[in-house]
Amino acid sequence: MIKNYLLITLRNFKRQPAYFLLNILGLTIGIAATLLILLYIQQELRFDRYHSKADRIYRVNSDIAEPDNAFKWAVTQIPLAPQLKADYPEVEEYVRFIPEDRIRFSLEDRFFFVEKVFVVDSTVCEVFDFEFIRGEGRTALKEPNSLVLAESEARRIFGESDPIGQQLKTQSDRAYKVTGVYKDMPKHSHLIANAMISSNSIEGIRDASAGSWGSFEIYSYVLLREGADAATFAGYLPDVITKYVAVIFDQFDIKIKYQLMPLTDIHLKSDYQAEPEAVGEMGFLYIFGIVALFMLLIACINYMNLATARGGKRSLEVGIRKVLGAERRQLVGQFLSESVIFTLIALLLSFTLVHFLVPTFNSIFEVSLSRTLLWSPSILLAGFTIILLTGILGGSYPAFYLSSFRPVTVLKGKLAKGSGNPRLRQGLVVLQFVITLFMLASTGIIFDQMQYLRTKELGFDKDQVLLFDLEGRAARNKYPVIRTALLRNADITAVGTATSSPGDYFSKQLMNVETANGSMDERGVDNYGVDFDFFNTMGMTITQGRNISADYSSDSSQAVLVNEAMVDRMGWSDPIGRKIEPDPGDSSRVAYVVGVIKNFHQRSLYEPIEPLLFRPRFNNSRVHVRIKNDLAGTIAFVEQEWAKIFPNRPFEYDFVDSAFMELYREDQIRSRIFTLFSLLMIIIACLGLLGLASYTAEQRTKEIGVRKVLGANSGNIIYLLTRNFVWLVALAAIPAFIATWYFMRQWLDTFTYHTRMNYWLFGLALLMTILVTLLTTGYHAIRAAYSDPVKALKYE
């Protein structure tokens, strides 16, 4: 029987090749897109799960509440993790990562910048699984001044030679011995280190209990013992605050709270500042999951519509087989087997297509999907589910509908062609249009928000500002020389320095700040150092008062500037002259507010503008260079001048605008992926419409001939064949736009600053869908309208 089912299926495919190819193409595209989405979701969900003890590893985060401010940090104090191990037997081990960002190393007469360097405890391999290819991970970082490198960094610096035992020197002439090389950390890691330095090298943390309980600067991880309850352990953390931390912060009415976060939750569930890598968002995974379901749903709808619409083509076959003794269950089995075989072919084509598309997808969308995941149990299970949903459920209605034909009616030729339930087909088409319109309108709103992020007035001019760093005190001391050299170029209009830059983080420091009523209160103040030229270089506006002095002589310790958010925070009606004591323990050191800077966005538009204080500082590491015209030529000029002043140092640079937009990198990637799948969804829907339009024109062939003989022109015929589809689009717009408005409003609200919802995008989505529908169905309508009516009247 199965052999017979297969032979009949192949014969039907051969008899209607156009129908077969149209359906297989739509289903293959839908399944392939679904598999790509599932790969992306799988990639996001597997962050940090490659560690064998991942279920027992937790990071301690800090929630900090000041009297008039609150913030959440992914970092804690240096002594916290070792103290937790000493006090609580639930902690089996701990490891701390202290970010050093990037360090310039030298090897003989060569220099290398290494990004993402961390100072870590020697216990790192007791907690995490890092595969060492040279050296022994558990002992490599026990000795002071030891260093381990990621495989790619070791190859870049040492080539094919053995790095073990080699000495790398920093710009301060400190030597580190390479004691190990580990495989590059997978991209699905919430923290990626290209180099790790032994914490025993740093005097301030060589003693496990050393370090200040008042300074938050490291990532602290604890490994709980097997069987230890994380919730119970988390209940001990308030006691740690009471015993070690409250004595420092209670006097300033600052409340600290530790939060225990599972390692595998960090990437998708963290909303903490100072994350070492960009984090994902669980909400987007739900959205992409819904999109994947939409893809399959539209593919199923196409199949069901075309199968039932063409049921009349097989009515005679059904009638004859029933007369010859075929039972309905056998006919149902025949049609379901056709559907399953059809889906299986599409699934195999989809797996093959995705296998070859993954590298291109990774390159275009800057993600790191692994082709090996395609053969993982979860994806294979998804493939099996697709066969069930699409092959069996999608084919069930056509199977039961086709097998229900009465043989007497069929053999008398009384069965209406394409009969069945036209209302159901129309309903399914409406559902297709609802999904398509929702995706189109949502894509437009997402792009509108991304454009808003790129073009919103940020309070500074981010365009054509070159950014580079002066590493080390010796390099910073040469800043006047390089500034003079750069300003000789007419295309360089300004050069300024700071300890931070828009898009970067900054330091927070406890200071005594004068309140509106004249008293001095302790406040945590975000601040960084700037020189006289910084505000002019960045196009920032001084709204009150003045800039710091150009020679720094009178302002080096007695002048500060604040932004408008700081003025609002303190309730100052007249901020000029307000007193600030940078060191609460030394009231003799006093600074005064000399100017107010117009608010600007230091961080992303997800976050509100923070109160900021700017200190005069002339030897800053971050150099900002504003370029007027010839960008490429000016960069070449800067490189030449750099080589003259720093002949043994490589020149590395960035631009402020690109560095700032990195804050939205994950959003941009997700929006591009969302757009791709929106387009694919439209293509799949169009393939279904193409088949239905062909069927409609074919079924009304004789009607069209009669109408033309009676005087109907081609325009009337085209209108007749396309109007129903346009009405279905209009009907679908109502639920589609209600859903779009609801979900997109929630998404926009995740940004502190966002564009308003532009309703003309809804109209644009509707217009585009109508145009695509007319183009898709119009071909067959035009062909039918201009056909010879004589041939039409001879049809059947």
Side-chain angles (χ1 to χ4, degrees):
M1 182 177 290
I2 294 176
K3 180 181 178 181
N4 185 51
Y5 285 168
L6 183 60
L7 287 174
I8 295 174
T9 299
L10 294 176
R11 191 180 300 131
N12 282 314
F13 288 170
K14 185 178 180 180
R15 185 180 301 146
Q16 302 181 66
Y19 164 76
F20 170 73
L21 290 175
L22 194 65
N23 237 340
I24 205 75
L25 182 60
L27 201 54
T28 299
I29 293 174
I31 295 175
T34 300
L35 290 175
L36 280 173
I37 295 174
L38 293 178
L39 282 180
Y40 178 79
I41 294 174
Q42 181 90 338
Q43 180 78 0
E44 291 289 288
L45 290 175
R46 72 174 185 148
F47 261 69
D48 297 304
R49 295 182 186 276
Y50 61 92
H51 298 290
S52 61
K53 303 170 186 173
D55 61 329
R56 296 192 285 131
I57 301 173
Y58 295 82
R59 189 182 70 190
V60 186
N61 301 319
S62 304
D63 291 0
I64 303 174
E66 299 175 340
D68 59 352
N69 196 16
F71 43 92
K72 303 170 73 173
W73 279 343
V75 292
T76 64
Q77 308 97 318
I78 288 176
L80 173 64
Q83 198 65 58
L84 290 176
K85 183 182 179 183
D87 291 353
Y88 300 101
E90 288 87 350
V91 178
E92 179 179 320
E93 195 51 270
Y94 71 88
V95 63
R96 298 166 296 177
F97 283 75
I98 306 173
E100 292 290 330
D101 294 328
R102 77 173 190 169
I103 295 179
R104 184 179 69 96
F105 292 104
S106 63
L107 177 66
E108 298 175 348
D109 59 344
R110 294 183 297 146
F111 295 85
F112 307 90
F113 281 112
V114 179
E115 306 279 349
K116 300 180 181 179
V117 181
F118 290 85
V119 174
V120 302
D121 294 308
S122 60
T123 54
V124 63
C125 287
E126 302 285 342
V127 178
F128 296 103
D129 294 342
F130 299 134
E131 185 178 348
F132 274 70
I133 55 178
R134 294 180 185 271
E136 171 53 49
R138 294 179 183 270
T139 59
L141 292 173
K142 285 189 178 294
E143 297 299 321
N145 300 322
S146 55
L147 167 77
V148 294
L149 293 168
E151 183 180 10
S152 59
E153 290 296 327
R155 186 178 296 112
R156 180 172 71 93
I157 296 173
F158 296 100
E160 297 303 319
S161 61
D162 187 359
I164 301 299
Q166 299 270 17
Q167 297 276 346
L168 290 178
K169 290 186 177 180
T170 66
Q171 57 208 13
S172 61
D173 228 23
R174 184 166 189 166
Y176 289 99
K177 183 171 73 173
V178 179
T179 56
V181 177
Y182 55 92
K183 283 192 174 182
D184 289 5
M185 295 181 185
K187 290 185 178 180
H188 51 282
S189 303
H190 84 280
L191 181 150
I192 296 177
N194 293 327
M196 293 186 283
I197 296 172
S198 167
S199 63
N200 292 328
S201 311
I202 311 301
E203 185 176 348
I205 59 172
R206 186 175 293 136
D207 178 3
S209 61
S212 169
W213 282 96
S215 178
F216 295 77
E217 54 187 309
I218 71 168
Y219 302 102
S220 300
Y221 300 85
V222 293
L223 172 68
L224 299 187
R225 296 188 185 279
E226 296 235 17
D229 181 63
T232 302
F233 174 70
Y236 302 144
L237 296 179
D239 298 334
V240 178
I241 299 291
T242 303
K243 190 173 182 180
Y244 302 105
V245 182
V247 65
I248 300 174
F249 291 98
D250 277 0
Q251 58 185 316
F252 308 123
D253 198 21
I254 297 175
K255 304 301 179 185
I256 311 296
K257 186 177 181 181
Y258 293 134
Q259 298 287 357
L260 208 60
M261 176 169 278
L263 178 70
T264 52
D265 282 356
I266 293 174
H267 177 68
L268 288 175
K269 297 182 180 179
S270 173
D271 58 352
Y272 285 83
Q273 297 179 24
E275 285 289 352
E277 297 287 333
V279 295
E281 190 175 331
M282 182 63 77
F284 270 102
L285 296 194
Y286 291 127
I287 291 173
F288 281 127
I290 293 171
V291 170
L293 186 61
F294 283 172
M295 285 285 184
L296 278 181
L297 187 58
I298 286 183
C300 286
I301 289 171
N302 280 351
Y303 178 79
M304 291 174 66
N305 270 339
L306 292 176
T308 54
R310 291 187 172 268
K313 289 280 187 180
R314 302 186 66 178
S315 59
L316 191 59
E317 172 197 342
V318 172
I320 292 173
R321 291 180 66 186
K322 281 194 171 184
V323 168
L324 293 176
E327 298 179 7
R328 186 177 184 185
R329 60 179 179 83
Q330 293 174 314
L331 294 172
V332 170
Q334 168 63 47
F335 293 124
L336 281 179
S337 65
E338 286 185 18
S339 179
V340 170
I341 292 170
F342 191 90
T343 305
L344 186 59
I345 293 171
L347 186 67
L348 293 175
L349 289 174
S350 300
F351 267 89
T352 304
L353 185 62
V354 170
H355 180 79
F356 289 107
L357 281 179
V358 162
T360 304
F361 188 87
N362 287 342
S363 175
I364 294 174
F365 297 104
E366 302 176 58
V367 294
S368 54
L369 305 187
S370 172
R371 284 193 287 197
T372 58
L373 283 178
L374 195 60
W375 315 108
S376 65
S378 56
I379 299 296
L380 292 176
L381 178 62
F384 179 72
T385 305
I386 288 171
I387 292 176
L388 289 178
L389 290 176
T390 309
I392 296 178
L393 294 182
S396 60
Y397 176 75
F400 285 102
Y401 160 65
L402 293 174
S403 64
S404 67
F405 293 161
R406 297 178 63 186
V408 174
T409 305
V410 169
L411 295 177
K412 286 182 177 181
K414 294 182 179 179
L415 181 69
K417 295 168 186 156
S419 63
N421 192 339
R423 295 296 180 191
L424 175 63
R425 282 202 300 274
Q426 290 176 347
L428 293 175
V429 171
V430 168
L431 182 56
Q432 276 188 321
F433 283 135
V434 168
I435 296 171
T436 302
L437 286 165
F438 172 80
M439 293 293 291
L440 270 178
S442 299
T443 300
I445 293 169
I446 290 171
F447 261 98
D448 198 35
Q449 175 63 11
M450 290 299 107
Q451 183 66 15
Y452 177 82
L453 298 179
R454 285 189 288 268
T455 59
K456 183 186 183 297
E457 173 58 49
L458 298 174
F460 65 93
D461 185 359
K462 67 180 186 300
D463 297 325
Q464 300 216 153
V465 179
L466 187 72
L467 182 65
F468 61 87
D469 289 320
L470 297 174
E471 303 281 350
R473 180 175 296 178
R476 293 198 299 270
N477 288 340
K478 289 187 177 181
Y479 169 69
V481 179
I482 196 168
R483 178 179 182 276
T484 301
L486 295 181
L487 287 174
R488 288 200 297 265
N489 188 312
D491 280 321
I492 294 179
T493 60
V495 182
T497 68
T499 56
S500 184
S501 184
D504 291 342
Y505 283 101
F506 35 76
S507 64
K508 181 180 285 287
Q509 182 178 341
L510 288 173
M511 300 181 183
N512 283 329
V513 183
E514 184 179 351
T515 64
N517 60 19
S519 63
M520 300 298 291
D521 280 2
E522 184 83 10
R523 301 293 171 92
V525 180
D526 296 327
N527 67 98
Y528 58 87
V530 298
D531 67 8
F532 171 78
D533 299 294
F534 175 73
F535 300 119
N536 177 51
T537 303
M538 295 305 300
M540 296 174 181
T541 304
I542 299 177
T543 59
Q544 295 184 57
R546 62 173 176 86
N547 197 355
I548 57 179
S549 299
D551 60 4
Y552 308 101
S553 57
S554 62
D555 284 342
S556 58
S557 63
Q558 292 185 324
V560 292
L561 287 90
V562 296
N563 67 350
E564 292 171 329
M566 183 68 175
V567 175
D568 293 339
R569 177 189 182 187
M570 300 308 301
W572 292 331
S573 57
D574 181 11
I576 305 302
R578 294 291 182 172
K579 189 166 60 173
I580 294 179
E581 297 173 359
D583 183 359
D586 184 2
S587 59
S588 64
R589 291 184 58 201
V590 180
Y592 298 91
V593 176
V594 299
V596 177
I597 301 297
K598 183 180 179 180
N599 277 342
F600 66 91
H601 291 275
Q602 175 71 21
R603 296 294 297 163
S604 77
L605 271 68
Y606 278 109
E607 304 172 26
I609 294 177
E610 293 287 345
L612 282 174
L613 179 143
F614 307 94
R615 298 171 285 104
R617 196 169 185 268
F618 64 89
N619 59 340
N620 304 307
S621 58
R622 310 227 75 186
V623 181
H624 305 74
V625 181
R626 179 162 293 283
I627 300 173
K628 182 169 59 177
N629 291 316
D630 182 13
L631 199 61
T634 306
I635 291 173
F637 169 79
V638 175
E639 288 177 326
Q640 291 173 5
E641 296 302 315
W642 176 276
K644 292 176 185 176
I645 300 170
F646 305 109
N648 295 321
R649 296 190 179 195
F651 179 66
E652 296 184 355
Y653 66 90
D654 200 352
F655 286 93
V656 169
D657 57 352
S658 61
F660 193 84
M661 288 308 294
E662 273 294 303
L663 299 173
Y664 308 107
R665 180 177 178 274
E666 293 298 314
D667 285 310
Q668 291 172 324
I669 290 172
R670 288 188 286 255
S671 69
R672 293 204 301 270
I673 294 174
F674 194 83
T675 303
L676 170 67
F677 292 124
S678 296
L679 294 175
L680 289 177
M681 202 168 287
I682 294 171
I683 292 171
I684 297 169
C686 285
L687 290 173
L689 287 177
L690 193 64
L692 280 178
S694 172
Y695 156 75
T696 302
E698 181 181 344
Q699 292 304 112
R700 304 181 73 172
T701 299
K702 186 168 288 188
E703 176 192 347
I704 292 168
V706 172
R707 287 178 179 274
K708 293 191 73 173
V709 168
L710 294 177
N713 59 37
S714 299
N716 297 138
I717 302 301
I718 294 171
Y719 171 74
L720 176 71
L721 294 176
T722 57
R723 64 180 181 182
N724 285 341
F725 290 107
V726 174
W727 278 112
L728 293 177
V729 173
L731 182 63
I734 299 171
F737 292 156
I738 291 174
T740 303
W741 175 83
Y742 177 77
F743 288 108
M744 286 296 102
R745 186 184 64 173
Q746 289 188 324
W747 179 72
L748 287 174
D749 286 343
T750 63
F751 294 84
T752 303
Y753 305 90
H754 58 76
T755 183
R756 61 184 179 86
M757 191 171 290
N758 292 313
Y759 293 103
W760 63 265
L761 290 169
F762 291 53
L764 181 62
L766 179 60
L767 179 62
M768 287 177 60
T769 305
I770 290 174
L771 288 176
V772 170
T773 301
L774 290 175
L775 288 173
T776 305
T777 59
Y779 167 74
H780 291 290
I782 293 171
R783 184 179 175 186
Y786 286 97
S787 63
D788 187 347
V790 175
K791 292 182 180 179
L793 292 173
K794 290 181 179 179
Y795 182 74
E796 294 189 357

